[in-house]
Amino acid sequence: MEVHFTKHAREKFKILANHKFSEEQIDDAVKNPDFIDYDRLPLFIAQKRLDNNHVLRVVYKVQKSTKIIITFYPGRRKQYEKS
């Protein structure tokens, strides 16, 4: 499935420059997530572990055969991981 970044998502790379996220890292989180949050359908939130204390969360929607990345952000595992 193809991945497309919105203008806002592309700007997030600049906003979060100190975290040094790459397109490949965001793409991997969407294609191989540790967890997908379906609570906000039609939006999906893919979650991928960054380290022992942090996760990367990627908000996206699906249109036809394309996953459209809306935004992404780091978060604390204890806040987002469910038992």
Side-chain angles (χ1 to χ4, degrees):
M1 188 171 276
E2 184 179 337
V3 174
H4 173 76
F5 289 83
T6 62
K7 180 181 178 185
H8 174 77
R10 293 217 176 271
E11 290 172 357
K12 287 291 279 200
F13 286 106
K14 295 174 191 166
I15 294 167
L16 298 174
N18 61 326
H19 292 280
K20 298 183 179 16
F21 289 120
S22 67
E23 284 190 29
E24 292 78 20
Q25 201 173 9
I26 305 304
D27 188 57
D28 181 55
V30 170
K31 292 181 178 174
N32 303 301
D34 295 329
F35 174 76
I36 297 180
D37 186 344
Y38 298 99
D39 290 344
R40 301 192 192 275
L41 286 174
L43 300 178
F44 300 88
I45 303 175
Q47 184 169 297
K48 187 84 170 185
R49 188 178 294 184
L50 292 172
D51 58 34
N52 286 336
N53 297 313
H54 300 92
V55 292
L56 170 62
R57 293 181 47 94
V58 182
V59 180
Y60 68 96
K61 62 183 176 181
V62 177
Q63 287 184 342
K64 298 184 181 176
S65 62
T66 304
K67 291 183 179 181
I68 300 173
I69 309 300
I70 297 167
T71 193
F72 59 91
Y73 53 94
R76 297 192 189 282
R77 278 183 59 199
K78 66 181 179 182
Q79 182 177 358
Y80 293 108
E81 285 192 351
K82 299 176 182 177
S83 303

